[in-house]
Coordinates of all heavy atoms in Angstrom, one line a residue:
M5 N -16.9 -7.7 -2.6 CA -17.2 -6.5 -3.4 C -16.2 -5.5 -3.1 O -15.9 -5.2 -1.9 CB -18.6 -6.1 -3.1 CG -19.1 -4.9 -3.9 SD -20.8 -4.6 -3.7 CE -20.9 -2.9 -3.3
T6 N -15.7 -4.8 -4.1 CA -14.7 -3.7 -3.9 C -15.4 -2.4 -3.6 O -16.5 -2.2 -4.2 CB -13.9 -3.6 -5.2 OG1 -13.2 -4.8 -5.4 CG2 -12.9 -2.5 -5.0
K7 N -14.9 -1.7 -2.7 CA -15.5 -0.4 -2.3 C -14.4 0.7 -2.3 O -13.4 0.5 -1.7 CB -16.2 -0.5 -0.9 CG -16.9 0.8 -0.5 CD -17.5 0.6 0.9 CE -18.1 2.0 1.3 NZ -18.7 1.9 2.6
Y8 N -14.7 1.8 -2.9 CA -13.8 2.9 -2.9 C -13.8 3.5 -1.5 O -14.8 3.8 -0.9 CB -14.2 4.0 -3.9 CG -13.5 5.3 -3.8 CD1 -12.2 5.4 -4.4 CD2 -14.0 6.4 -3.2 CE1 -11.5 6.6 -4.3 CE2 -13.3 7.5 -3.1 CZ -12.1 7.6 -3.6 OH -11.4 8.8 -3.5
L9 N -12.6 3.7 -0.9 CA -12.5 4.3 0.4 C -12.1 5.8 0.3 O -12.9 6.6 0.8 CB -11.5 3.6 1.2 CG -11.9 2.1 1.5 CD1 -10.7 1.4 2.3 CD2 -13.2 2.0 2.3
H10 N -11.0 6.1 -0.2 CA -10.6 7.5 -0.3 C -9.3 7.6 -1.1 O -8.6 6.6 -1.4 CB -10.4 8.2 1.1 CG -9.3 7.6 1.9 ND1 -9.5 6.5 2.7 CD2 -7.9 7.9 1.9 CE1 -8.3 6.2 3.3 NE2 -7.4 7.0 2.8
T11 N -9.0 8.8 -1.5 CA -7.7 9.1 -2.2 C -6.9 10.1 -1.3 O -7.4 11.0 -0.8 CB -8.0 9.8 -3.6 OG1 -8.7 8.9 -4.4 CG2 -6.7 10.2 -4.3
M12 N -5.6 9.8 -1.2 CA -4.8 10.6 -0.3 C -3.9 11.5 -1.2 O -3.4 11.2 -2.2 CB -3.8 9.7 0.5 CG -3.0 10.5 1.6 SD -1.5 11.3 1.0 CE -0.4 9.9 1.0
I13 N -3.8 12.8 -0.7 CA -3.0 13.8 -1.4 C -2.1 14.4 -0.3 O -2.7 14.9 0.7 CB -3.8 14.9 -2.0 CG1 -4.8 14.3 -3.1 CG2 -2.9 15.9 -2.7 CD1 -5.8 15.3 -3.7
R14 N -0.8 14.4 -0.4 CA 0.1 15.1 0.5 C 0.1 16.5 0.1 O 0.3 16.9 -1.0 CB 1.5 14.4 0.4 CG 2.3 14.7 1.6 CD 3.6 13.9 1.6 NE 3.4 12.5 1.4 CZ 3.1 11.6 2.4 NH1 3.0 12.1 3.6 NH2 2.9 10.3 2.2
V15 N -0.1 17.4 1.1 CA -0.2 18.9 0.8 C 0.8 19.7 1.7 O 1.3 19.2 2.8 CB -1.6 19.4 1.1 CG1 -2.6 18.7 0.2 CG2 -2.0 19.3 2.5
S16 N 1.2 20.8 1.2 CA 2.1 21.7 1.9 C 1.3 22.8 2.7 O 1.9 23.4 3.6 CB 3.1 22.4 1.0 OG 2.4 23.2 0.0
S17 N 0.0 22.9 2.5 CA -0.8 23.9 3.2 C -2.2 23.4 3.3 O -2.9 23.3 2.3 CB -0.8 25.3 2.5 OG -1.8 26.1 3.1
L18 N -2.6 23.0 4.5 CA -4.0 22.5 4.7 C -5.0 23.7 4.3 O -6.0 23.4 3.7 CB -4.2 22.1 6.1 CG -3.7 20.7 6.5 CD1 -3.9 20.4 7.9 CD2 -4.4 19.6 5.6
E19 N -4.7 24.9 4.8 CA -5.7 26.0 4.6 C -5.9 26.2 3.1 O -7.0 26.4 2.7 CB -5.2 27.2 5.3 CG -5.2 27.1 6.9 CD -3.9 26.3 7.4 OE1 -2.9 26.2 6.6 OE2 -4.0 25.9 8.5
D20 N -4.8 26.4 2.4 CA -5.0 26.6 0.9 C -5.6 25.5 0.2 O -6.5 25.7 -0.7 CB -3.6 26.9 0.3 CG -2.9 28.2 0.8 OD1 -3.6 29.0 1.4 OD2 -1.7 28.3 0.6
T21 N -5.3 24.3 0.6 CA -5.9 23.1 -0.1 C -7.4 23.0 0.2 O -8.2 22.7 -0.7 CB -5.1 21.8 0.2 OG1 -3.7 22.1 0.0 CG2 -5.6 20.7 -0.6
I22 N -7.7 23.2 1.5 CA -9.1 23.1 1.9 C -9.9 24.2 1.1 O -11.0 23.9 0.7 CB -9.3 23.2 3.4 CG1 -8.7 21.9 4.0 CG2 -10.7 23.4 3.8 CD1 -8.6 22.0 5.5
A23 N -9.4 25.4 1.0 CA -10.0 26.5 0.3 C -10.2 26.1 -1.2 O -11.3 26.3 -1.8 CB -9.2 27.8 0.4
F24 N -9.2 25.5 -1.8 CA -9.3 25.1 -3.2 C -10.4 24.1 -3.4 O -11.3 24.2 -4.3 CB -8.0 24.5 -3.7 CG -8.1 23.8 -5.0 CD1 -8.1 24.6 -6.2 CD2 -8.2 22.4 -5.1 CE1 -8.2 23.9 -7.4 CE2 -8.3 21.8 -6.4 CZ -8.3 22.6 -7.5
F25 N -10.5 23.0 -2.6 CA -11.5 22.0 -2.7 C -12.9 22.5 -2.3 O -13.9 22.1 -2.8 CB -11.1 20.8 -1.9 CG -10.2 19.9 -2.7 CD1 -8.8 19.8 -2.3 CD2 -10.6 19.1 -3.8 CE1 -7.9 19.0 -2.9 CE2 -9.7 18.3 -4.4 CZ -8.4 18.2 -4.0
G26 N -12.9 23.6 -1.5 CA -14.2 24.2 -1.1 C -14.8 24.9 -2.3 O -16.0 24.8 -2.5
V27 N -14.0 25.4 -3.2 CA -14.5 26.0 -4.4 C -15.2 24.9 -5.3 O -16.2 25.2 -6.0 CB -13.4 26.7 -5.2 CG1 -13.9 27.2 -6.6 CG2 -12.9 27.9 -4.4
L28 N -14.7 23.7 -5.2 CA -15.3 22.6 -6.0 C -16.5 22.0 -5.3 O -17.1 21.0 -5.8 CB -14.2 21.5 -6.2 CG -13.0 22.0 -7.0 CD1 -12.0 20.8 -7.1 CD2 -13.4 22.4 -8.4
G29 N -16.8 22.4 -4.1 CA -17.9 22.0 -3.3 C -17.6 20.9 -2.3 O -18.6 20.4 -1.6
L30 N -16.4 20.6 -2.0 CA -16.0 19.6 -1.0 C -15.9 20.3 0.4 O -15.5 21.5 0.4 CB -14.7 18.9 -1.3 CG -14.8 17.7 -2.3 CD1 -15.2 18.2 -3.7 CD2 -13.6 16.9 -2.3
R31 N -16.3 19.6 1.4 CA -16.3 20.2 2.8 C -15.6 19.2 3.7 O -15.6 18.0 3.5 CB -17.7 20.4 3.3 CG -18.6 21.3 2.5 CD -18.1 22.7 2.6 NE -18.9 23.6 1.7 CZ -18.4 24.2 0.6 NH1 -17.1 24.0 0.3 NH2 -19.1 25.0 -0.1
E32 N -15.0 19.8 4.8 CA -14.3 19.0 5.7 C -15.3 18.1 6.5 O -16.2 18.6 7.1 CB -13.5 19.9 6.7 CG -12.6 19.1 7.7 CD -11.8 20.0 8.5 OE1 -11.3 21.0 8.1 OE2 -11.5 19.6 9.7
I33 N -15.0 16.8 6.6 CA -15.9 15.9 7.3 C -15.2 15.3 8.5 O -15.9 14.8 9.4 CB -16.5 14.8 6.4 CG1 -15.4 14.0 5.8 CG2 -17.4 15.4 5.4 CD1 -15.9 12.7 5.1
R34 N -13.9 15.3 8.6 CA -13.1 14.8 9.7 C -11.7 15.3 9.7 O -11.1 15.5 8.6 CB -13.1 13.2 9.6 CG -12.6 12.5 10.8 CD -12.9 11.0 10.7 NE -12.2 10.3 9.7 CZ -12.9 9.8 8.6 NH1 -14.2 9.9 8.4 NH2 -12.2 9.1 7.7
R35 N -11.1 15.5 10.9 CA -9.7 15.9 11.0 C -9.1 15.1 12.1 O -9.7 14.8 13.2 CB -9.7 17.4 11.4 CG -8.3 18.0 11.5 CD -8.3 19.4 11.9 NE -8.8 20.2 10.8 CZ -8.1 21.1 10.1 NH1 -6.9 21.4 10.5 NH2 -8.7 21.8 9.2
R36 N -7.9 14.6 11.8 CA -7.2 13.7 12.8 C -5.7 14.1 12.9 O -4.9 13.7 12.0 CB -7.3 12.3 12.3 CG -6.8 11.3 13.4 CD -7.0 9.9 12.9 NE -6.0 9.6 11.8 CZ -4.9 8.9 12.0 NH1 -4.7 8.3 13.1 NH2 -4.1 8.7 11.0
P37 N -5.3 14.9 13.8 CA -3.9 15.2 14.1 C -3.2 14.0 14.8 O -3.9 13.3 15.6 CB -3.9 16.4 14.9 CG -5.2 16.5 15.6 CD -6.2 15.7 14.7
D38 N -2.0 13.8 14.4 CA -1.2 12.7 15.1 C 0.1 13.2 15.6 O 1.0 13.5 14.8 CB -1.0 11.6 14.0 CG -0.4 10.3 14.7 OD1 0.7 10.5 15.3 OD2 -0.9 9.2 14.5
E39 N 0.1 13.5 16.9 CA 1.3 14.1 17.5 C 2.5 13.2 17.4 O 3.6 13.7 17.0 CB 1.0 14.3 19.0 CG 0.0 15.3 19.4 CD 0.5 16.7 19.3 OE1 1.8 16.9 19.5 OE2 -0.3 17.6 19.2
K40 N 2.4 11.9 17.5 CA 3.5 11.0 17.5 C 4.1 10.9 16.0 O 5.3 11.0 15.8 CB 3.1 9.6 17.9 CG 4.3 8.6 18.0 CD 3.8 7.3 18.5 CE 5.0 6.3 18.5 NZ 4.6 5.0 19.0
G41 N 3.2 10.8 15.0 CA 3.6 10.7 13.7 C 4.0 12.1 13.0 O 4.5 12.2 11.9
R42 N 3.6 13.2 13.7 CA 3.8 14.5 13.3 C 3.2 14.9 12.0 O 3.8 15.4 11.0 CB 5.3 14.9 13.3 CG 5.9 14.7 14.7 CD 7.2 15.4 15.0 NE 7.3 16.7 14.5 CZ 6.8 17.8 15.2 NH1 6.1 17.7 16.2 NH2 7.0 19.0 14.7
Y43 N 1.9 14.5 11.8 CA 1.1 14.8 10.7 C -0.4 15.0 11.0 O -0.8 14.7 12.1 CB 1.2 13.7 9.6 CG 0.6 12.4 10.0 CD1 -0.8 12.1 9.8 CD2 1.4 11.4 10.6 CE1 -1.3 10.9 10.2 CE2 0.8 10.2 11.0 CZ -0.5 10.0 10.8 OH -1.1 8.8 11.2
T44 N -1.1 15.6 10.1 CA -2.5 15.8 10.3 C -3.2 15.3 9.0 O -2.8 15.6 7.9 CB -2.9 17.3 10.5 OG1 -2.3 17.8 11.7 CG2 -4.4 17.5 10.6
N45 N -4.3 14.5 9.2 CA -5.1 14.1 8.1 C -6.4 14.8 8.2 O -7.0 15.0 9.3 CB -5.5 12.6 8.2 CG -4.3 11.7 7.9 OD1 -3.4 12.1 7.2 ND2 -4.3 10.5 8.4
V46 N -6.9 15.4 7.0 CA -8.1 16.0 6.9 C -8.9 15.3 5.8 O -8.3 15.1 4.7 CB -8.0 17.5 6.6 CG1 -9.3 18.2 6.4 CG2 -7.3 18.2 7.8
F47 N -10.1 14.9 6.1 CA -10.9 14.3 5.1 C -12.0 15.2 4.5 O -12.7 15.9 5.3 CB -11.6 13.0 5.6 CG -10.6 12.0 6.0 CD1 -9.9 12.0 7.2 CD2 -10.3 11.0 5.1 CE1 -9.0 11.0 7.5 CE2 -9.4 10.0 5.4 CZ -8.7 10.0 6.6
L48 N -12.1 15.3 3.2 CA -13.1 16.2 2.5 C -14.0 15.3 1.7 O -13.6 14.3 1.2 CB -12.4 17.2 1.6 CG -11.2 18.0 2.2 CD1 -10.6 18.8 1.1 CD2 -11.7 18.9 3.3
A49 N -15.2 15.8 1.6 CA -16.2 15.1 0.7 C -17.3 16.0 0.2 O -17.5 17.1 0.8 CB -16.8 13.9 1.4
A50 N -17.9 15.7 -0.9 CA -19.0 16.4 -1.3 C -20.2 16.1 -0.4 O -20.4 15.0 0.0 CB -19.4 16.1 -2.8
P51 N -21.1 17.1 -0.1 CA -22.2 16.9 0.7 C -23.1 15.8 0.1 O -23.4 15.8 -1.1 CB -23.0 18.2 0.7 CG -21.9 19.3 0.4 CD -20.9 18.6 -0.5
G52 N -23.5 14.8 0.9 CA -24.3 13.7 0.5 C -23.5 12.6 -0.1 O -24.0 11.5 -0.4
D53 N -22.2 12.7 -0.3 CA -21.3 11.7 -0.8 C -20.1 11.5 0.1 O -19.0 11.4 -0.4 CB -20.9 12.1 -2.2 CG -20.3 10.9 -3.0 OD1 -20.5 9.7 -2.6 OD2 -19.7 11.1 -4.1
E54 N -20.3 11.4 1.4 CA -19.3 11.4 2.4 C -18.5 10.0 2.3 O -17.3 10.0 2.8 CB -19.8 11.5 3.8 CG -20.2 13.0 4.1 CD -21.6 13.4 3.5 OE1 -22.3 12.5 3.1 OE2 -21.9 14.5 3.6
A55 N -19.0 9.0 1.6 CA -18.3 7.8 1.5 C -17.1 7.9 0.5 O -16.2 7.0 0.5 CB -19.3 6.7 1.1
A56 N -17.1 8.9 -0.3 CA -16.1 9.1 -1.3 C -15.2 10.3 -0.9 O -15.4 11.4 -1.4 CB -16.6 9.2 -2.7
A57 N -14.3 10.1 0.0 CA -13.5 11.2 0.6 C -12.2 11.4 -0.1 O -11.6 10.5 -0.7 CB -13.3 10.9 2.1
V58 N -11.7 12.6 0.1 CA -10.3 12.9 -0.3 C -9.6 13.2 1.0 O -10.1 13.9 1.9 CB -10.3 14.2 -1.1 CG1 -8.9 14.7 -1.4 CG2 -11.0 14.1 -2.4
E59 N -8.5 12.4 1.2 CA -7.7 12.6 2.4 C -6.5 13.5 2.1 O -5.7 13.2 1.3 CB -7.2 11.2 2.9 CG -6.2 11.3 4.0 CD -5.5 10.0 4.3 OE1 -5.9 8.9 3.8 OE2 -4.4 10.1 5.0
L60 N -6.4 14.6 2.9 CA -5.3 15.5 2.8 C -4.3 15.1 3.9 O -4.8 15.0 5.1 CB -5.7 16.9 2.9 CG -6.8 17.4 2.0 CD1 -7.1 18.9 2.3 CD2 -6.4 17.3 0.5
T61 N -3.1 14.9 3.6 CA -2.1 14.6 4.6 C -1.1 15.7 4.6 O -0.4 16.1 3.6 CB -1.4 13.3 4.3 OG1 -2.3 12.2 4.3 CG2 -0.3 13.0 5.3
Y62 N -1.0 16.4 5.8 CA 0.0 17.5 6.0 C 1.0 17.0 7.0 O 0.7 16.7 8.2 CB -0.7 18.7 6.6 CG 0.2 19.8 7.0 CD1 0.9 20.5 6.0 CD2 0.5 20.0 8.3 CE1 1.9 21.5 6.4 CE2 1.4 21.0 8.7 CZ 2.1 21.7 7.7 OH 3.0 22.7 8.1
N63 N 2.3 16.9 6.5 CA 3.4 16.5 7.4 C 3.9 17.8 8.1 O 4.2 18.8 7.5 CB 4.5 15.9 6.6 CG 4.1 14.5 6.1 OD1 3.3 14.4 5.2 ND2 4.7 13.5 6.7
W64 N 4.0 17.8 9.4 CA 4.4 18.9 10.2 C 5.9 19.3 9.9 O 6.2 20.5 10.0 CB 4.2 18.7 11.7 CG 2.8 18.4 12.1 CD1 1.7 18.4 11.2 CD2 2.3 18.0 13.3 NE1 0.6 18.1 11.9 CE2 0.9 17.8 13.2 CE3 3.0 17.7 14.5 CZ2 0.2 17.4 14.3 CZ3 2.2 17.3 15.6 CH2 0.8 17.1 15.5
D65 N 6.7 18.3 9.5 CA 8.1 18.6 9.2 C 8.3 18.1 7.8 O 8.9 17.0 7.5 CB 9.0 17.8 10.2 CG 8.7 18.2 11.6 OD1 8.7 19.3 11.9 OD2 8.5 17.2 12.4
P66 N 7.8 18.9 6.8 CA 7.9 18.4 5.4 C 9.3 18.2 4.9 O 10.2 18.9 5.4 CB 7.1 19.5 4.6 CG 7.3 20.7 5.4 CD 7.3 20.2 6.9
P67 N 9.5 17.4 3.9 CA 10.8 17.3 3.3 C 11.3 18.5 2.6 O 10.4 19.3 2.1 CB 10.7 16.1 2.3 CG 9.2 16.0 2.0 CD 8.5 16.6 3.2
T68 N 12.5 18.8 2.5 CA 13.1 19.9 1.8 C 14.1 19.4 0.7 O 15.0 18.7 1.1 CB 13.7 20.9 2.7 OG1 12.8 21.2 3.8 CG2 14.2 22.2 2.1
P69 N 14.0 19.8 -0.5 CA 12.9 20.6 -1.1 C 11.6 19.8 -1.3 O 11.6 18.6 -1.3 CB 13.5 21.0 -2.4 CG 14.4 19.9 -2.8 CD 15.0 19.4 -1.5
W70 N 10.5 20.5 -1.4 CA 9.2 19.9 -1.6 C 9.0 19.6 -3.1 O 8.8 20.5 -3.9 CB 8.1 20.9 -1.1 CG 6.8 20.3 -1.1 CD1 5.8 20.3 -2.1 CD2 6.1 19.5 0.0 NE1 4.7 19.7 -1.7 CE2 4.9 19.2 -0.5 CE3 6.5 19.2 1.2 CZ2 4.0 18.5 0.3 CZ3 5.6 18.5 2.0 CH2 4.4 18.1 1.6
T71 N 9.2 18.4 -3.5 CA 9.0 18.0 -4.9 C 8.1 16.8 -5.1 O 7.7 16.2 -4.1 CB 10.4 17.5 -5.5 OG1 10.8 16.3 -4.8 CG2 11.5 18.6 -5.3
T72 N 7.6 16.6 -6.3 CA 6.7 15.5 -6.5 C 7.4 14.1 -6.2 O 6.7 13.2 -5.8 CB 6.2 15.4 -8.0 OG1 7.3 15.4 -8.9 CG2 5.3 16.6 -8.3
S73 N 8.7 14.0 -6.3 CA 9.3 12.8 -5.9 C 9.3 12.5 -4.4 O 9.3 11.4 -4.0 CB 10.8 12.7 -6.4 OG 11.5 13.7 -5.8
T74 N 9.3 13.6 -3.6 CA 9.2 13.4 -2.2 C 7.8 13.4 -1.7 O 7.6 13.0 -0.5 CB 10.0 14.5 -1.4 OG1 9.5 15.8 -1.8 CG2 11.5 14.4 -1.7
T75 N 6.8 13.8 -2.4 CA 5.4 13.8 -2.0 C 4.6 12.7 -2.5 O 3.5 12.5 -2.1 CB 4.8 15.2 -2.4 OG1 4.8 15.3 -3.8 CG2 5.5 16.3 -1.7
H76 N 5.1 11.9 -3.5 CA 4.4 10.8 -4.0 C 3.0 11.3 -4.6 O 2.0 10.8 -4.1 CB 4.2 9.7 -3.0 CG 5.5 9.3 -2.3 ND1 6.5 8.6 -3.0 CD2 6.0 9.5 -1.1 CE1 7.5 8.4 -2.2 NE2 7.2 9.0 -1.0
A77 N 3.1 12.2 -5.6 CA 1.8 12.7 -6.1 C 0.9 11.7 -6.7 O 1.4 10.7 -7.2 CB 2.2 13.7 -7.2
R78 N -0.4 11.8 -6.5 CA -1.4 10.9 -7.0 C -2.4 11.6 -7.8 O -2.8 12.7 -7.5 CB -2.0 10.2 -5.8 CG -1.1 9.3 -5.0 CD -1.7 9.0 -3.7 NE -0.9 8.1 -2.9 CZ 0.2 8.4 -2.3 NH1 0.6 9.6 -2.2 NH2 0.9 7.4 -1.6
P79 N -2.9 10.9 -8.9 CA -3.9 11.6 -9.7 C -5.3 11.5 -9.0 O -5.5 10.6 -8.2 CB -3.9 10.7 -11.0 CG -3.4 9.4 -10.6 CD -2.4 9.7 -9.5
L80 N -6.1 12.5 -9.3 CA -7.5 12.5 -8.8 C -8.4 13.1 -9.9 O -8.1 14.2 -10.4 CB -7.5 13.4 -7.5 CG -8.9 13.6 -6.9 CD1 -9.4 12.3 -6.3 CD2 -8.7 14.7 -5.8
S81 N -9.5 12.5 -10.1 CA -10.5 13.0 -11.1 C -11.8 13.4 -10.4 O -12.3 12.6 -9.6 CB -10.8 12.0 -12.2 OG -9.6 11.7 -12.9
L82 N -12.3 14.6 -10.7 CA -13.5 15.1 -10.2 C -14.4 15.6 -11.3 O -14.0 16.2 -12.2 CB -13.3 16.2 -9.2 CG -12.5 16.0 -8.0 CD1 -12.2 17.2 -7.2 CD2 -13.2 15.0 -7.1
R83 N -15.7 15.3 -11.2 CA -16.6 15.9 -12.2 C -17.3 17.1 -11.5 O -17.8 17.0 -10.4 CB -17.7 14.9 -12.5 CG -18.7 15.4 -13.5 CD -19.8 14.5 -13.9 NE -19.1 13.4 -14.6 CZ -19.7 12.2 -14.9 NH1 -20.9 12.0 -14.6 NH2 -19.0 11.3 -15.6
V84 N -17.2 18.2 -12.1 CA -17.7 19.5 -11.5 C -18.9 19.9 -12.3 O -19.0 19.9 -13.5 CB -16.6 20.5 -11.5 CG1 -17.1 21.8 -10.9 CG2 -15.3 20.1 -10.8

């Protein structure tokens, strides 16, 4: 059986992105900084629906310039 795990979005600001998704009702459920890989993953989910998470990936040393071709943008649909 196939199970949805999460959707990853690469972001340039964790604080701004968490605030945006907070307006939509998503809350931080887990945070995982990785010193060796130089990135932080933050997982957000709607209360009561933690199995369907959005993963935010923040690279500590982002590419310059920051473009969709370097960030590998992914679509995401939410019902509000």
Side-chain angles (χ1 to χ4, degrees):
M5 182 167 128
T6 301
K7 181 179 178 184
Y8 172 80
L9 296 177
H10 64 269
T11 298
M12 188 276 281
I13 302 171
R14 196 171 309 277
V15 301
S16 60
S17 170
L18 281 174
E19 295 78 18
D20 292 344
T21 308
I22 291 168
F24 170 78
F25 279 106
V27 172
L28 299 176
L30 278 68
R31 301 290 176 250
E32 184 174 329
I33 58 171
R34 189 168 67 251
R35 182 179 291 246
R36 190 181 70 107
D38 186 306
E39 294 278 339
K40 184 176 178 183
R42 301 199 47 77
Y43 65 87
T44 299
N45 288 335
V46 175
F47 293 85
L48 308 174
D53 197 13
E54 288 79 11
V58 174
E59 173 191 342
L60 306 179
T61 298
Y62 172 73
N63 291 72
W64 301 353
D65 304 309
T68 304
W70 187 269
T71 67
T72 56
S73 63
T74 58
T75 60
H76 310 289
R78 292 161 175 83
L80 176 66
S81 296
L82 299 172
R83 180 177 295 168
V84 180

